[in-house]
Amino acid sequence: MSQFLYLVRHGEQQDAEHGLPDGPLSPRGRRQATLIAERLSGLPLTAAYHSPLQRAAETATIIAEKLPSIELEPSALLFDCVPTGKTPETPSAYEPFFGAVTEAETEAGAAQMTDAVAEFLAPRSGDRHDLIISHNFVIAWFVREVLGAPDWRWMAMDQANCGLTIIHRKPGRPWNLLTHNDLAHLPMELRTGLPDPLPV
């Protein structure tokens, strides 16, 4: 009996550099989604959940076209959010980020991610292979939770567009990080979404 959770960040958003809060995938984002679908195609997926935001929902739809056996389920627990406010341990380098985030936003994000962890990391019976298509900060929070890292550490874990993170749990054991932000399915020109370019 094992649980696998496959965490995928949405594909690149059209005009994301112009600060649009949500929107459709760019042509590159659609290609990224097609390639992650091919990467996942051999898995015995049990369920697939996605953020209702357009960029994640469109990524999920492209994946489902390649994996017709799965049914997509939108979940408000997977919306893009800011999981915490600034903590006493948060390095000063991250302080400017919080200047544009309200206390209400961080409170809502913290509540959402508490519920998301309770929902998606709960023990389940039988073998499970569940897919989650969501956002950078949401996936970072799941990884931070699995590692038992301090709350602020979600800020230091970036996911590329359509990068693949896998966590795994055996009965009676804690969740374990198997792979983080795996990009083997994406050629270099499709590896987008990271704050710093990858070395060639």
Side-chain angles (χ1 to χ4, degrees):
M1 303 290 185
S2 290
Q3 286 178 258
F4 289 88
L5 202 57
Y6 305 89
L7 304 166
V8 173
R9 185 184 179 191
H10 59 80
E12 180 186 72
Q13 180 183 325
Q14 184 74 42
D15 295 325
E17 68 273 16
H18 299 305
L20 296 177
D22 193 25
L25 297 180
S26 68
R28 185 159 54 182
R30 290 192 291 274
R31 179 67 179 141
Q32 292 164 340
T34 298
L35 291 174
I36 187 62
E38 292 172 1
R39 175 79 182 271
L40 297 170
S41 63
L43 296 173
L45 290 176
T46 313
Y49 308 93
H50 64 88
S51 160
L53 290 177
Q54 184 178 0
R55 58 193 185 272
E58 192 173 323
T59 302
T61 298
I62 292 170
I63 292 173
E65 288 171 356
K66 295 281 186 180
L67 305 171
S69 63
I70 64 170
E71 291 188 16
L72 298 177
E73 184 176 334
S75 172
L77 297 178
L78 300 174
F79 268 118
D80 201 4
C81 70
V82 178
T84 66
K86 182 177 170 295
T87 71
E89 296 80 22
T90 304
S92 58
Y94 295 107
E95 288 182 7
F97 170 84
F98 291 104
V101 180
T102 67
E103 185 175 341
E105 287 173 327
T106 58
E107 287 178 356
Q112 174 188 316
M113 292 316 300
T114 295
D115 291 345
V117 165
E119 173 70 19
F120 294 110
L121 298 189
R124 303 192 184 202
S125 59
D127 288 325
R128 300 282 308 188
H129 292 262
D130 294 337
L131 172 64
I132 285 179
I133 300 146
S134 190
H135 305 275
N136 187 26
F137 294 165
V138 172
I139 295 171
W141 186 261
F142 278 120
V143 173
R144 183 220 61 81
E145 180 73 20
V146 166
L147 296 177
D151 283 358
W152 69 269
R153 288 291 294 173
W154 64 270
M155 299 196 72
M157 289 183 278
D158 292 298
Q159 338 313 305
N161 295 118
C162 288
L164 175 62
T165 293
I166 306 172
I167 57 177
H168 173 238
R169 179 185 173 276
K170 293 182 179 179
R173 300 186 186 183
W175 284 92
N176 180 43
L177 180 66
L178 294 185
T179 186
H180 177 247
N181 199 36
D182 185 344
L183 304 178
H185 51 287
L186 297 176
M188 285 299 298
E189 65 271 16
L190 293 183
R191 298 181 181 184
T192 62
L194 295 172
D196 299 304
L198 290 168
V200 177

